[in-house]
């Protein structure tokens, strides 16, 4: 019998080798896994891009709530920085002190004396120096047979700006009452000079003058003295002045000098309105000593 099997294989043509179906299945699965990995990676960013490119959204974008607004920061507490000179000990070479000042001008003081019956001259430049201004009052009594002559001299001196430098009174053989106290008409001069500056700490001065006793008081640059002359027991001298003596007082006076600051308003109006009637309107307008005449 003829060999049919070998003849059948001999008749089949030679062709390309056939790829198994399993290979294609595995290849498809592998590509699918790679593409899925790429599309789903990075929070499916590539998948969203591809779907948006083809015009449909497989995964709509999430609507995120706006971030909460930041709360306002609390205001930092206020801080204060003290200058060094507040906490450092004072330097003696630069320390200052309280210093008294005139609260009345020279012209206002002269007017106050005239209102009290002491007929002073007008506030004007002195004859010996145009930079010095002054007003004065001078009176001399008639000499009696059994009495020594009496006289009164009052002067208020300052500068052209009206600042008072000093006030002086000289009385010779003044009249007294039966108790040996100074005549009220003369005492009125010292009352005006001590009350007008409104320095209330010189308590004993007026009482000492009333009893013709020597006294000297100093405080914050002001100096007040009432003394009897040694060689002439009937002569009395009164001086009221502002004089910075210590270094601290001089520094204070220079710091508050009128050359550096605007001038203060003249308090004469306030003083005149607050003046008691017994001073602004004396009961009599006679000379300081009764029965004596003024000489202008």
């Amino acid at each position: 019998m003829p060999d049919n099997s070998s003849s059948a294989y001999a008749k089949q043509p030679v062709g390309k080798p056939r790829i198994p179906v399993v290979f294609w299945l595995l290849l498809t699965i592998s590509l699918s896994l790679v593409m899925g990995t790429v599309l789903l990676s990075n929070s499916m960013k590539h998948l969203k891009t591809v779907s948006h490119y083809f015009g449909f959204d497989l995964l709509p974008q999430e609507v995120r709530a706006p971030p909460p607004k930041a709360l306002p920061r609390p205001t930092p507490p206020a801080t204060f920085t003290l200058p060094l000179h507040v906490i450092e000990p004072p330097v003696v070479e630069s320390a200052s002190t309280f210093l008294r000042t005139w609260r009345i001008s020279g012209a206002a003081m002269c007017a106050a004396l005239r209102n009290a019956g002491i007929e002073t001259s007008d506030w004007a430049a002195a004859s010996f120096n145009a930079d010095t201004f002054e007003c004065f009052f001078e009176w001399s009594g008639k000499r009696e047979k059994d009495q020594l002559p009496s006289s009164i001299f009052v002067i208020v001196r300052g500068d052209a700006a009206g600042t008072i430098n000093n006030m002086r009174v000289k009385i010779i053989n003044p009249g007294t009452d039966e108790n040996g106290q100074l005549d009220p008409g003369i005492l009125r001069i010292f009352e005006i000079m001590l009350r007008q500056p409104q320095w209330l700490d010189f308590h004993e001065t007026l009482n000492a003058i009333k009893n013709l006793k020597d006294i000297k008081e100093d405080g914050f640059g002001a100096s007040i003295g009432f003394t009897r002359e040694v060689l002439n027991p009937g002569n009395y001298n009164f001086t009221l002045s502002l004089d910075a003596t210590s270094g601290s007082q001089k520094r204070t006076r220079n710091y508050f000098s009128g050359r550096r600051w605007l001038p203060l308003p003249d308090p004469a109006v306030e003083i005149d309105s607050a003046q008691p009637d017994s001073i602004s309107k004396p009961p009599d307008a006679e000379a300081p000593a009764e029965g004596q005449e003024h000489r202008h």
Side-chain angles (χ1 to χ4, degrees):
M1 290 180 63
D3 190 1
N4 295 331
S5 61
S6 52
S7 61
Y9 283 105
K11 293 179 181 180
Q12 291 180 355
V14 178
K16 295 181 181 181
R18 298 180 63 182
I19 300 175
V21 177
V22 176
F23 172 78
W24 292 110
L25 181 62
L26 293 176
L27 180 61
T28 301
I29 293 173
S30 300
L31 291 177
S32 299
L33 292 175
V34 171
M35 292 181 62
T37 302
V38 172
L39 293 176
L40 297 177
S41 64
N42 198 10
S43 300
M44 297 184 290
K45 179 180 179 181
H46 300 290
L47 180 60
K48 294 176 182 179
T49 303
V50 172
S51 62
H52 180 71
Y53 177 78
F54 288 102
F56 56 92
D57 293 331
L58 294 177
L59 297 173
Q61 296 182 354
E62 298 179 358
V63 179
R64 295 182 179 180
K69 295 182 179 180
L71 297 177
R73 294 184 178 180
T75 304
T79 57
F80 301 93
T81 303
L82 294 176
L84 292 178
H85 69 269
V86 175
I87 57 178
E88 290 182 346
V91 182
V92 178
E93 292 75 10
S94 61
S96 60
T97 186
F98 291 105
L99 186 65
R100 204 183 305 269
T101 58
W102 292 105
R103 300 190 62 186
I104 184 172
S105 64
M109 175 62 74
C110 298
L113 289 170
R114 286 193 296 272
N115 292 337
I118 316 301
E119 295 298 331
T120 62
S121 61
D122 293 331
W123 181 258
S127 57
F128 63 90
N129 188 354
D131 295 332
T132 301
F133 276 62
E134 64 182 16
C135 72
F136 62 90
F137 167 75
E138 188 176 6
W139 174 88
S140 297
K142 294 180 180 180
R143 182 171 184 174
E144 301 294 340
K145 293 181 180 180
D146 51 347
Q147 290 184 357
L148 295 175
S150 300
S151 65
I152 302 172
F153 179 75
V154 180
I155 187 168
V156 180
R157 185 167 288 168
D159 56 22
T163 303
I164 299 174
N165 294 333
N166 59 77
M167 297 188 290
R168 293 186 294 115
V169 180
K170 186 179 184 67
I171 54 177
I172 300 175
N173 300 321
T176 57
D177 59 13
E178 62 275 7
N179 297 322
Q181 294 183 339
L182 187 62
D183 181 86
I186 303 176
L187 186 63
R188 187 182 303 140
I189 300 173
F190 302 101
E191 291 176 348
I192 298 300
M193 287 187 168
L194 292 175
R195 290 176 182 175
Q196 289 298 318
Q198 301 185 28
W199 300 334
L200 305 179
D201 53 334
F202 298 113
H203 305 290
E204 302 298 330
T205 304
L206 190 60
N207 188 52
I209 295 174
K210 182 179 181 180
N211 293 280
L212 297 176
K213 294 182 179 180
D214 292 358
I215 188 170
K216 183 174 178 61
E217 293 192 75
D218 297 287
F220 304 114
S223 177
I224 299 178
F226 181 80
T227 57
R228 182 198 305 259
E229 294 182 5
V230 177
L231 300 179
N232 301 292
N235 297 358
Y236 300 86
N237 296 292
F238 171 82
T239 304
L240 173 56
S241 62
L242 284 182
D243 188 15
T245 56
S246 64
S248 57
Q249 289 179 349
K250 292 178 180 179
R251 284 188 291 270
T252 303
R253 181 188 61 185
N254 294 334
Y255 180 83
F256 290 102
S257 172
R259 296 187 298 269
R260 300 183 57 183
W261 305 94
L262 294 175
L264 293 174
D266 191 347
V269 177
E270 179 182 353
I271 294 175
D272 290 341
S273 61
Q275 199 173 55
D277 295 339
S278 59
I279 297 179
S280 60
K281 295 180 180 180
D284 54 3
E286 298 178 358
E290 293 182 0
Q292 297 172 341
E293 299 178 354
H294 293 187
R295 189 182 70 176
H296 299 283

